[in-house]
Amino acid sequence: MTVVASGVCGADIGTAAATGKDTVFPVTPGHEVAGYVAETGDQVEGFSVGDRVAVGWFGGSCGRCARCRAGDVVHCPERMVPGLSYPGGWSESITVPVDALVRIPEGLDFFEAAPFGCAGVTTFNAVRNAGIRAGGRVAVFGIGGLGHLAIQFASKLGYETIAIARGTEREKFAGQLGAHRYIDSAVQAPGAALKELGGADLIVLTASSTAAADELLSGLNTHGKLTLVGIDAGAVTVPVAGLVMHGHVVTGHLTGSPRETQEAMRFAVTNGVRAVVERMPLQQAGEALSRLREGAARFRIVLDSSAGG
C-alpha cells in the first residue's frame, strides 16, 4: 500500500518510545493510514492496484477464535495493530493483511480519511452503539482529537448534544460542531450541571485523563451510560448504590472493525462530519509527536508522505 496520509495519535507516543525486550527496531508508528493499493498478493481478492484504501488501529486478526467467529474481530486475542504488530504508516509504503483494509468512499480525500481508522470509528461507535433513546441527551467531555468528532456524530445522529470543556474559548467552536449546549468545567462541576438539566443518557469521556470520571457519574440520567474512550493509568470509583438504584452503566470502548470504519466514513460523507486536520510533512514526524506530547496539537495532525523533505 502506498501511503499518502498517516495520522498522529496519542497512542503513537508509547509506540515511538518502545524500549521493551520484544521491541523490533526500527520502530515505525502510525495506525491511521490512507493511500492506495500498490500491489497485491497472489491470493488477494476484492482489491485491485490503484484502489483508494485505509487501515486503522485494527490491523488484522486470526479469523479462527471465538471472538472472530462471532464477528468481534476487534477483541481477537491475536489482533494486530499497525506500528506495533508490524511497521506502521509513518512511511512511504506499508504492507497490511487484506482483511484490515477499508475502502475510502468518494467524497473523502486521503487526509480526511486517515483519522477515521482510529479516532473516527472509535467515536462513531461509542455514540451509535450506546443504545440510548431516540432524541436522547449526549454529553461529550473534552473537545480535542476525539471529542470534536464525537460532538459531530452525536449531533448528526439526532441527539441533544452537550459539549464540556474548560474555559470559554471553545464554546463558539463547539456550537459550530453541532453542540446545542456548552458547559464550562472551570465554572461548574460538569456532572452537577448535567444533573440540573435532567441528566445525560450518554456521557462520552474523550479526555486522556480519567480524573473527571467520578464526578461525571452524578450527571447520568436513569439508565445512563458513561463510556470512556480516552485512557490513562487511572481508575474510576463507582458508587454501588447509584449504579444499582439508577441502572447506570460504566464501560470502555475500543476502535472498530474495517466494516464499521467504512460505515463511519460513509456516514461522514452523507452528513458532513470531518476531522479538523493539520497537515505536516512526513519528515516532521518527530516534531508532530513532540507537539502531541506537549499538548500543543488540539485536533488531528496528519503526516503527508508525498511532501518533499
Side-chain angles (χ1 to χ4, degrees):
M1 172 179 169
T2 298
V3 178
V4 176
S6 186
V8 181
C9 178
D12 291 320
I13 295 174
T15 302
T19 57
K21 61 182 180 65
D22 296 326
T23 302
V24 177
F25 294 95
V27 174
T28 307
H31 58 266
E32 293 183 341
V33 192
Y36 54 89
V37 176
E39 59 182 304
T40 62
D42 293 339
Q43 299 182 29
V44 170
E45 297 180 355
F47 289 92
S48 303
V49 172
D51 286 352
R52 298 187 335 126
V53 294
V55 63
W57 177 263
F58 174 84
S61 62
C62 74
R64 306 179 305 273
C65 69
R67 293 270 56 109
C68 286
R69 289 173 64 84
D72 186 13
V73 295
V74 166
H75 293 101
C76 169
E78 298 180 35
R79 181 195 68 237
M80 293 181 283
V81 179
L84 296 175
S85 307
Y86 50 80
W90 292 9
S91 60
E92 295 180 345
S93 65
I94 182 174
T95 301
V96 304
V98 68
D99 65 323
L101 286 180
V102 177
R103 293 188 184 279
I104 301 174
E106 292 298 323
L108 282 184
D109 65 30
F110 292 119
F111 296 90
E112 293 170 330
F116 275 86
C118 182
V121 69
T122 297
T123 50
F124 181 58
N125 278 349
V127 176
R128 72 160 175 166
N129 293 338
I132 61 176
R133 61 190 172 89
R137 181 178 293 130
V138 174
V140 178
F141 185 92
I143 310 178
L146 291 166
H148 86 287
L149 283 163
I151 291 169
Q152 292 179 73
F153 282 127
S155 178
K156 296 296 185 180
L157 284 164
Y159 298 117
E160 178 190 345
T161 304
I162 301 173
I164 304 170
R166 187 174 185 83
T168 59
E169 65 275 8
R170 302 182 189 179
E171 183 172 2
K172 181 178 179 180
F173 180 63
Q176 294 170 344
L177 293 172
H180 302 94
R181 294 175 182 266
Y182 180 84
I183 295 174
D184 180 357
S185 61
V187 174
Q188 187 176 13
L194 290 171
K195 186 175 182 179
E196 288 182 7
L197 294 172
D201 298 297
L202 171 66
I203 301 174
V204 182
L205 198 163
T206 70
S208 58
S209 170
T210 56
D214 292 2
E215 196 278 331
L216 283 171
L217 286 169
S218 66
L220 287 176
N221 197 354
T222 302
H223 300 302
K225 176 182 290 189
L226 172 64
T227 298
L228 291 84
V229 296
I231 59 174
D232 60 5
V236 179
T237 303
V238 182
V240 176
L243 191 73
V244 174
M245 296 296 290
H246 304 298
H248 290 165
V249 175
V250 179
T251 185
H253 178 71
L254 174 71
T255 196
S257 68
R259 176 181 60 81
E260 292 166 332
T261 301
Q262 197 157 314
E263 290 171 352
M265 289 182 177
R266 288 173 176 166
F267 183 92
V269 170
T270 303
N271 294 279
V273 175
R274 296 291 188 278
V276 177
V277 166
E278 177 185 355
R279 298 190 193 186
M280 295 182 68
L282 175 62
Q283 291 78 6
Q284 293 181 15
E287 179 184 339
L289 194 65
S290 295
R291 289 184 54 194
L292 190 66
R293 189 184 297 114
E294 295 164 3
R298 277 194 61 190
F299 301 109
R300 309 305 294 186
I301 296 176
V302 179
L303 301 175
D304 184 350
S305 295
S306 66

